[in-house]
Amino acid sequence: MSKLRLKISMSLDGFVAGPDQSVKDPLGVGGEQLHEWVFPLAAWREVHGQEGGEVNASSAVVEESLVNVGATIMGRNMFGGHPGPWNAQKPWNGWWGANPPFHHPVFVLTHHARAPLEMEGGTTFTFVTDGIQSALEQGRRAAAGKDVTLTGGAKAAQQYLAAGLVDEMEISLSPILLGAGERLFEGVGTDLHGLRPVRTVAAPGVTHLKFAR
Amino acid sequence: MSKLRLKISMSLDGFVAGPDQSVKDPLGVGGEQLHEWVFPLAAWREVHGQEGGEVNASSAVVEESLVNVGATIMGRNMFGGHPGPWNAQKPWNGWWGANPPFHHPVFVLTHHARAPLEMEGGTTFTFVTDGIQSALEQGRRAAAGKDVTLTGGAKAAQQYLAAGLVDEMEISLSPILLGAGERLFEGVGTDLHGLRPVRTVAAPGVTHLKFAR
């Protein structure tokens, strides 16, 4: 059975992005700190075409997150660029350059229709305007039996969590306060739909909390 | 040097109490779940005059939290009873019965003056109306070189955190959502004043995150 696996970094005060997100601050003011644990890792650098890097207790978590994944779902805000209708003159093709690190189909939740965008290295961005169920069905079909990763942002995660569609959740808890921004669990209610802790990894600058059902 | 040590249980969505706190629901609706990890423990039951109980990875955390503590600070809401001026006709003497589990001086932050309340077993409640600095000074003096524990609730913790007065912080993260209530870090800002993760313990139903500076 193909699982939907949410993976996201959250601050100690519950934010997955800081305030005032923009092209300059894609994760909001201070939001970059959420991911400081991952940038030095060899496991992360390799995926992003860089050499060297560290191996620590987070390495196995990052490696595990990449295994058996056949598609990714993300929100429009995480794909980024600008709010509202797509700019045909200056098309925004994501944060990741010509060869994004996904290497499989990516489904972007948006209110604004756009033709699929084929990048180098096997990544195709498909823009889904008819909601989270449709994106999940398309993701599952594209994954062909493998799992589907949900990478955020907050609003995409909230919708899937509230609908009880998340089968696994890895929260990488960063020991910082953002004070404002987008909260992961805002409006999700009190029901984790059977998600229970299954594994905790304490690593430099982060604690990984894995939930499954 | 006597340390101020915050210990508190927090939900995955950042709440230390649920909504609608009352005498019936002292921790707010659903808030009792925050402490489900502690009630079965022999280390907790012993302190509360009960026999038996479990030993698991939380036991050492509970035992450690009781070592070298000479005084406790808490907010009025945690002491409980009712809001506003004290009721002289029906005095509220706390949740803990005639022999509270503290066995040392306890300082209660309140806006309403009241004479000290001496209980059995060495616990005296002193009501502090002139703010967190005064309560900390009184707590340190009473602790006579030992540490002072800050047990919440949210508003008391927020004031000490924002003022940079917390030397150690043990957050017992409960894998539940409360959806509403009192957030630990509401209004605290982005500065942890040098508090950094020093130890993580994964235990049944809880992950203990210890910070120190």
Side-chain angles (χ1 to χ4, degrees):
Chain A
M1 167 66 187
S2 162
K3 290 176 190 156
L4 180 63
R5 291 157 49 181
L6 169 62
K7 67 167 175 179
I8 200 156
S9 291
M10 183 174 88
S11 67
L12 190 60
D13 52 348
F15 296 99
V16 294
D20 304 320
Q21 288 178 277
S22 66
V23 172
K24 185 175 150 283
D25 277 318
L27 291 160
V29 176
E32 194 87 346
Q33 297 172 81
L34 291 169
H35 302 270
E36 273 175 7
W37 63 271
V38 80
F39 301 135
L41 297 178
W44 185 88
R45 294 175 60 86
E46 187 187 343
V47 172
H48 290 77
Q50 295 168 40
E51 287 179 14
E54 291 175 19
V55 174
N56 66 31
S58 287
S59 301
V61 174
V62 171
E63 285 158 10
E64 185 188 88
S65 78
L66 301 169
V67 169
N68 197 42
V69 174
T72 291
I73 296 174
M74 67 175 64
R76 159 69 184 274
N77 215 31
M78 184 166 167
F79 182 74
H82 53 84
W86 303 100
N87 184 338
Q89 263 64 51
K90 283 177 63 180
W92 174 265
N93 293 345
W95 303 103
W96 302 276
N99 187 354
F102 305 101
H103 312 297
H104 58 221
V106 177
F107 297 86
V108 180
L109 292 159
T110 170
H111 295 290
H112 304 281
R114 177 173 173 181
L117 177 62
E118 196 176 333
M119 310 296 284
E120 294 171 22
T123 299
T124 301
F125 293 108
T126 298
F127 300 88
V128 179
T129 56
D130 53 351
I132 62 167
Q133 282 279 6
S134 171
L136 181 54
E137 284 161 24
Q138 293 181 59
R140 286 226 162 95
R141 210 175 309 133
K146 291 188 176 179
D147 294 340
V148 179
T149 294
L150 171 62
T151 55
K155 287 190 175 54
Q158 288 157 9
Q159 290 181 68
Y160 282 104
L161 285 167
L165 293 170
V166 175
D167 300 303
E168 281 187 17
M169 171 170 80
E170 180 99 61
I171 297 178
S172 297
L173 191 69
S174 181
I176 59 160
L177 301 181
L178 287 177
E182 303 286 327
R183 286 194 168 97
L184 178 56
F185 292 108
E186 188 75 53
V188 169
T190 61
D191 192 350
L192 277 172
H193 297 276
L195 289 169
R196 300 165 62 91
V198 292
R199 190 261 289 133
T200 301
V201 173
V206 66
T207 302
H208 304 285
L209 306 166
K210 185 175 176 180
F211 291 70
R213 58 178 185 189
Chain B
M1 167 67 188
S2 161
K3 290 177 191 156
L4 181 64
R5 292 157 49 181
L6 170 62
K7 66 168 176 179
I8 200 156
S9 290
M10 183 174 89
S11 68
L12 190 59
D13 52 350
F15 295 99
V16 293
D20 304 322
Q21 287 177 276
S22 65
V23 172
K24 183 174 152 286
D25 278 318
L27 290 161
V29 176
E32 195 87 345
Q33 296 171 81
L34 291 170
H35 302 269
E36 273 175 8
W37 63 271
V38 79
F39 300 135
L41 296 178
W44 186 87
R45 294 175 59 85
E46 187 188 342
V47 172
H48 290 78
Q50 297 168 39
E51 287 179 15
E54 291 175 18
V55 174
N56 66 32
S58 287
S59 302
V61 175
V62 171
E63 286 157 10
E64 185 188 88
S65 78
L66 301 171
V67 169
N68 197 42
V69 175
T72 291
I73 296 173
M74 65 175 64
R76 158 70 185 271
N77 214 30
M78 183 166 169
F79 182 74
H82 52 84
W86 302 102
N87 183 338
Q89 263 63 54
K90 283 177 63 181
W92 173 266
N93 292 345
W95 303 103
W96 302 275
N99 187 354
F102 305 101
H103 311 297
H104 58 219
V106 177
F107 296 87
V108 180
L109 291 159
T110 171
H111 294 291
H112 304 281
R114 178 174 172 181
L117 177 63
E118 196 176 334
M119 310 294 286
E120 294 170 21
T123 299
T124 302
F125 294 108
T126 298
F127 301 89
V128 179
T129 56
D130 53 351
I132 62 168
Q133 283 278 7
S134 170
L136 181 54
E137 284 161 23
Q138 293 182 57
R140 286 227 162 96
R141 211 175 308 134
K146 291 187 176 181
D147 295 339
V148 178
T149 293
L150 170 63
T151 57
K155 286 188 178 55
Q158 287 157 10
Q159 289 181 68
Y160 281 104
L161 285 166
L165 293 171
V166 175
D167 300 303
E168 281 188 18
M169 170 169 82
E170 179 100 58
I171 297 177
S172 296
L173 192 69
S174 180
I176 60 160
L177 301 181
L178 288 176
E182 302 287 328
R183 286 195 168 97
L184 177 56
F185 292 107
E186 188 77 53
V188 169
T190 60
D191 192 350
L192 278 171
H193 296 278
L195 289 169
R196 301 166 61 91
V198 293
R199 191 261 289 132
T200 300
V201 173
V206 67
T207 301
H208 304 284
L209 307 166
K210 184 175 177 181
F211 292 69
R213 59 178 181 187

